[in-house]
Amino acid sequence: MPLIVTGSIGIDTVHTPHGTADAVLGGSCTYFSAAASFFTPVRMVAAVGGDFHEGHRAVLARFPNVSVEGIELRRDSKTFAWGGRYSEDMNSRETLYTHLGVLTEAPPTPPASYRDSRFVFLANTHPAVQRDLLNHFPDHELAVADTMDLWIDTAKDDLRTLLRRVDGIVLNDSEARLLTGKRNNITAGRTILDMGPTFAVIKKGEHGCILIHRDGVAALPAYPAEQVVDPTGAGDSFAGGMMGHIASRAGAPSPRMKHGAGHPVASFDTIQRSLASGTVIASFTIESFSLDRMARLTKDELERRMLEFSRIVRV
Ligand code: AMP
């Protein structure tokens, strides 16, 4: 089922204990799309400026399941740019700068060929841009949003309006705390459900994630990674794997449903299963800078790690 995403395409400069990556391809929409493309075709809707060059495009071209027709080039504008520095243990990071560039301009328009999109992901960007994409797809089957501290701090009202319209939200534990004022993740998750969504996925970095759904609670550890070079994009890749999994299974008969009915897209069971795909694809993203590792990833490697992960979490 067609999956569409809007968010940032970024030019990132990242410092980790393993080195520095200067002006490399990043952005929430980019990491999401690359990750989702291992599970289902995905359509990007985002804007870039005149500083977005061939080298950046060439990275995207390494993901054949990603449609770039919806990337709008604005020659006189600047691409979103972000700089970050990770701590020695890479469990925390400091944002060095955020140059919003095209993110403060009019939202990009999805091409007519994307009209049949049914799964909508609103990756990290201004909530007004997220709302605009959602407005184009009133008949969607599932809409899920991501957000972060900057938007919780600067656009809370827009975000609260958006939350009333989406089925789910993916955010990390500090953001859940900031949004709700609750320290406990389950309480924070339940408070978010009171704001509108059916489910919230709270990510805890190397400690995995928690699903708080109207029909229950689930938790999954992260893949125990030995090689962590750059955690940037782990959260977006997680969301990409999760949404890619859901969109790829939609319409397929569900073993738990009678009469060959399809997977209910926002059910507790479907969302819980999708967390593993998100976790495993994110574990590849962090093995190198930018999208380098995902660009080299084969389906075989992905399947092998999925199997390994299912053995790791067996109880
Ligand atoms: P993650 O590590 O999953 O939180 O995502 C990192 C990516 O998000 C980087 O590639 C950045 O370009 C992008 N990013 C950072 N800050 C923002 C923001 N305020 N809005 C949208 N994207 C952002």
Side-chain angles (χ1 to χ4, degrees):
M1 285 270 184
L3 168 63
I4 194 165
V5 55
T6 196
S8 61
I9 293 181
I11 300 182
D12 289 353
T13 293
V14 181
H15 309 273
T16 84
H18 294 273
T20 294
D22 195 18
V24 293
L25 181 65
S28 58
C29 187
T30 316
Y31 279 108
F32 176 93
S33 302
S37 75
F38 285 89
F39 302 89
T40 198
V42 55
R43 299 159 167 181
M44 292 176 91
V45 178
V48 293
D51 52 347
F52 193 75
H53 58 67
E54 265 318 304
H56 297 131
R57 273 186 201 285
V59 178
L60 281 177
R62 296 183 66 179
F63 299 91
N65 244 354
V66 174
S67 164
V68 295
E69 194 190 332
I71 298 182
E72 230 171 82
L73 172 63
R74 300 178 182 170
R75 286 191 194 285
D76 298 327
S77 304
K78 287 258 189 223
T79 304
F80 170 80
W82 176 81
R85 184 188 303 280
Y86 286 84
S87 60
E88 269 307 307
D89 63 5
M90 285 191 279
N91 281 332
S92 61
R93 80 177 174 209
E94 173 196 1
T95 290
L96 301 176
Y97 61 84
T98 302
H99 300 318
L100 292 175
V102 290
L103 296 197
T104 58
E105 300 174 5
T109 308
S113 59
Y114 287 3
R115 217 169 273 155
D116 62 347
S117 305
R118 288 289 171 271
F119 289 79
V120 181
F121 189 74
L122 308 167
N124 230 322
T125 186
H126 196 292
V129 175
Q130 294 179 310
R131 186 182 59 224
D132 187 79
L133 188 79
L134 199 53
N135 287 345
H136 282 92
F137 299 95
D139 299 328
H140 61 261
E141 276 188 49
L142 184 75
V144 180
D146 189 352
T147 194
M148 71 182 294
D149 46 5
L150 177 70
W151 309 120
I152 298 171
D153 285 336
T154 63
K156 202 168 189 168
D157 290 344
D158 282 327
L159 188 60
R160 292 292 289 259
T161 309
L162 185 75
L163 284 176
R164 288 199 283 276
R165 297 184 50 198
V166 293
D167 302 287
I169 180 155
V170 180
L171 75 183
N172 70 33
D173 48 359
S174 61
E175 292 155 356
R177 248 192 325 268
L178 187 64
L179 180 61
T180 63
K182 310 286 183 197
R183 293 193 69 80
N184 177 281
N185 285 325
I186 309 294
T187 314
R190 292 200 202 288
T191 307
I192 293 172
L193 301 198
D194 289 339
M195 299 175 187
T198 301
F199 67 89
V201 178
I202 299 183
K203 298 167 291 174
K204 304 186 297 160
E206 68 169 339
H207 302 298
C209 64
I210 303 180
L211 165 66
I212 299 98
H213 189 287
R214 294 234 168 107
D215 295 328
V217 171
L220 198 68
Y223 174 80
E226 219 175 336
Q227 195 192 350
V228 185
V229 171
D230 172 16
T232 307
D236 308 307
S237 305
F238 172 90
M242 180 189 143
M243 286 296 287
H245 173 105
I246 298 168
S248 73
R249 304 294 300 280
S254 162
R256 299 212 179 171
M257 294 197 58
K258 291 191 178 130
H259 315 305
H263 286 261
V265 292
S267 72
F268 177 74
D269 193 48
T270 302
I271 308 299
Q272 183 182 18
R273 282 169 193 276
S274 73
L275 302 179
S277 300
T279 300
V280 170
I281 195 82
S283 75
F284 285 106
T285 296
I286 64 179
E287 287 182 4
S288 64
F289 285 102
S290 185
L291 285 86
D292 293 0
R293 183 63 180 99
M294 276 199 288
R296 284 184 278 115
L297 180 64
T298 64
K299 283 238 165 199
D300 250 21
E301 286 176 303
L302 178 59
E303 271 163 30
R304 253 184 279 134
R305 194 169 289 183
M306 288 292 299
L307 272 176
E308 184 194 354
F309 188 57
S310 70
R311 280 194 290 270
I312 287 170
V313 298
R314 192 178 294 152
V315 285

